[in-house]
Each structure stands twice: as structure tokens, then as C-alpha cells.
């Protein structure tokens, strides 16, 4: 597709269940990012990948959160044993990163998955 | 750590008028990028304009322009000839130019957002 695709668009789950959120980046984009956006707030960085390698996971709030990108394209963000405080919009973004260049690689965001934990 | 502050939770403007959204940031870096993103009710996250810190000239994109004051760490967005379609939440964001390894680093730090209402 032309843009970053995320699924599902909405996810309602019960506390304690595991959820998996999917991101399909723009074809050819090397870098992939996950952000979390609470209602009425700006997005907060969670983690990012270059190809299949997870470069930075400093934003993951705790060990219930994990992400993978096994083939360097589609990524999955998994939240285990969900809690009500995990309710938020989860956004994925990708960029065409060129190594060792000063040229900016703008982020292209998906429309997000709105997660509600009841 | 870098921080981005948008001190105006809400702003309003009459159609065809001009409005300015404020943003300040804190960083010890000298090379970085600044962005304004628009988030309409459709949930998209749309890049409005971006500024490279090493460029003194303020960025302009049609009706959107910025006032970048590097010494003051201020980055305001001016919307001229406001249109109904400009109504959205606007986020200011900061990004380091590169990490220690020399590769581009795309982690953004966002402000809290400003809700812009446009009155007909």
C-alpha cells in the first residue's frame, strides 16, 4: 500500500489478556517506530527497529511490552497481561533511513490502533 | 533529556485570520530538527512543516510558516488565512540530528498538543 498500515483499527480486550498489534510499513522503509499516545496527549516513543534489529527499546514501559520485526518488514507490538492503564492509541511510523547522511528522513505515521482494556 | 512544551492547550481563530501556536523546547544538542504535526479527527498524523536547526532561515510551506529562535529555544507555528480544514490538534516535536554512531535517529519527542478551533 501507499502508507503505513496498522491493524486492527480498534481493539477492546479484557484485563489480563494478551494483545498483538500489527504494523505494515511503507515498502522499502528501513526504520520502524512504535509510539503510544494517551488521550489528549502527544505520542511517546516506545521502541524502534532498523531492518530486523531492535535498536532502542528504552520507551517500553515494562517487561509486559515487547516488539519484533523478524523479517525487517512487518512488526508486531505485543502487550501481555493487559491492564487498564495500557489503554491508548498505539501508532507505528516508518522512515526511509539512509546511513551516514545528514539528509532528514521524515516519519510517516499510520492511523494507529486504539486499544481499550476493560 | 529533551523536552518539548506547548503552553496553549487550546486556541481559536476566525476563518481567514492568522493564528500563532507556541512551542518551546529544551536540549543541549546543537544539531537537531523541529517539526509541527497536525492530527485531525480522522486520526492521521500529518507533517505540516519542519525546520533544521543549522538553517537560520525560517521554514515556510504555503500558508504555514515558523518563527525559529534557536537561542531562545522557541519554535512557533503561524497559520495565515486560516481555513476550516485547519481545525485539528497540533503537535510540536523535536528530533536529534544523529546519534553517536553517525546514523540518522528518528526518535521524536512531542509536546502535549494544542487544539485549534476555526470559526466560520
Amino acid at each position: 500500500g501507499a502508507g503505513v498500515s496498522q491493524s486492527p483499527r480498534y481493539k477492546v480486550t479484557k484485563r489480563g489478556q494478551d494483545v498483538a498489534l500489527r504494523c505494515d510499513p511503507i515498502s522499502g522503509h528501513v526504520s520502524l517506530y512504535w509510539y503510544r499516545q494517551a488521550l489528549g496527549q502527544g505520542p511517546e516513543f516506545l521502541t524502534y527497529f532498523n531492518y530486523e534489529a531492535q535498536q532502542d527499546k528504552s520507551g517500553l514501559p515494562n517487561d509486559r511490552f515487547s516488539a519484533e520485526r523478524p523479517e525487517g518488514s512487518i512488526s508486531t507490538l505485543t502487550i501481555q497481561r493487559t491492564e487498564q492503564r495500557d489503554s491508548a492509541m498505539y501508532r507505528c511510523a516508518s522512515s526511509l533511513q539512509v546511513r551516514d547522511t545528514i539528509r532528514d528522513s521524515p516519519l510517516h505515521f499510520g492511523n494507529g490502533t486504539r486499544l481499550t482494556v476493560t | 533529556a529533551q523536552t518539548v512544551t506547548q503552553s496553549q492547550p487550546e486556541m481559536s481563530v476566525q476563518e481567514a485570520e492568522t493564528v500563532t501556536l507556541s512551542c518551546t523546547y529544551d536540549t543541549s544538542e546543537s544539531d537537531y530538527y523541529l517539526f509541527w504535526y497536525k492530527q485531525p479527527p480522522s486520526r492521521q498524523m500529518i507533517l505540516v512543516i519542519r525546520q533544521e536547526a543549522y538553517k537560520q532561515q525560517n521554514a515556510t510551506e504555503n500558508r504555514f510558516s515558523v518563527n525559529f529562535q534557536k537561542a531562545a529555544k522557541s519554535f512557533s507555528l503561524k497559520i495565515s488565512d486560516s481555513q476550516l480544514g485547519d481545525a485539528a490538534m497540533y503537535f510540536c516535536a523535536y528530533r536529534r540530528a544523529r546519534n553517536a554512531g553517525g546514523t540518522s535517529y528518528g526518535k521524536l519527542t512531542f509536546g502535549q498538543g494544542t487544539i485549534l478551533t476555526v470559526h466560520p
Side-chain angles (χ1 to χ4, degrees):
Chain A
V4 177
S5 177
Q6 291 188 247
S7 61
R9 185 173 170 85
Y10 298 94
K11 177 69 178 178
V12 180
T13 191
K14 293 187 176 180
R15 187 178 56 185
Q17 297 294 307
D18 298 351
V19 294
L21 311 180
R22 174 188 165 118
C23 172
D24 194 350
I26 294 173
S27 179
H29 276 198
V30 169
S31 299
L32 184 147
Y33 303 82
W34 283 99
Y35 286 82
R36 179 169 70 173
Q37 185 176 3
L39 190 64
Q41 298 294 316
E44 291 182 313
F45 170 82
L46 294 177
T47 185
Y48 100 99
F49 295 82
N50 279 346
Y51 300 101
E52 72 282 356
Q54 192 169 21
Q55 299 290 327
D56 183 344
K57 54 181 180 180
S58 63
L60 295 177
N62 52 60
D63 60 7
R64 295 186 297 106
F65 287 74
S66 63
E68 63 175 8
R69 193 186 185 198
E71 297 179 0
S73 180
I74 292 170
S75 177
T76 302
L77 177 69
T78 301
I79 309 173
Q80 296 180 311
R81 305 180 302 281
T82 52
E83 301 177 4
Q84 286 187 324
R85 59 178 173 158
D86 299 334
S87 297
M89 173 80 79
Y90 289 84
R91 287 191 181 272
C92 174
S94 69
S95 71
L96 180 63
Q97 176 183 331
V98 181
R99 186 178 177 87
D100 294 328
T101 179
I102 62 172
R103 187 177 66 194
D104 177 33
S105 299
L107 290 186
H108 298 263
F109 282 89
N111 285 350
T113 294
R114 183 171 297 283
L115 174 66
T116 303
V117 182
T118 62
Chain B
Q2 295 81 23
T3 59
V4 177
T5 302
Q6 294 177 249
S7 59
Q8 306 155 317
E10 297 182 27
M11 291 285 285
S12 64
V13 63
Q14 291 293 131
E15 197 174 6
E17 298 295 309
T18 296
V19 64
T20 298
L21 307 184
S22 300
C23 173
T24 58
Y25 59 95
D26 188 22
T27 183
S28 59
E29 305 282 335
S30 60
D31 192 13
Y32 50 87
Y33 298 100
L34 295 165
F35 306 86
W36 279 97
Y37 279 89
K38 172 185 178 181
Q39 185 176 313
S42 64
R43 299 175 16 165
Q44 294 174 285
M45 198 74 161
I46 302 165
L47 178 62
V48 175
I49 198 166
R50 67 186 187 211
Q51 175 79 42
E52 294 155 345
Y54 66 89
K55 289 186 176 180
Q56 293 186 343
Q57 186 174 6
N58 289 325
T60 299
E61 289 286 344
N62 301 311
R63 298 183 294 107
F64 299 87
S65 62
V66 299
N67 182 6
F68 173 48
Q69 301 290 327
K70 190 172 184 179
K73 296 181 181 176
S74 170
F75 182 61
S76 61
L77 174 69
K78 185 171 82 171
I79 306 174
S80 303
D81 186 26
S82 297
Q83 301 176 359
L84 295 177
D86 295 334
M89 190 149 187
Y90 286 82
F91 293 100
C92 177
Y94 166 100
R95 199 197 95 184
R96 292 168 61 187
R98 61 177 63 235
N99 64 10
T103 55
S104 179
Y105 186 62
K107 174 181 174 181
L108 293 176
T109 300
F110 286 87
Q112 307 91 318
T114 297
I115 298 172
L116 178 65
T117 302
V118 181
H119 298 289

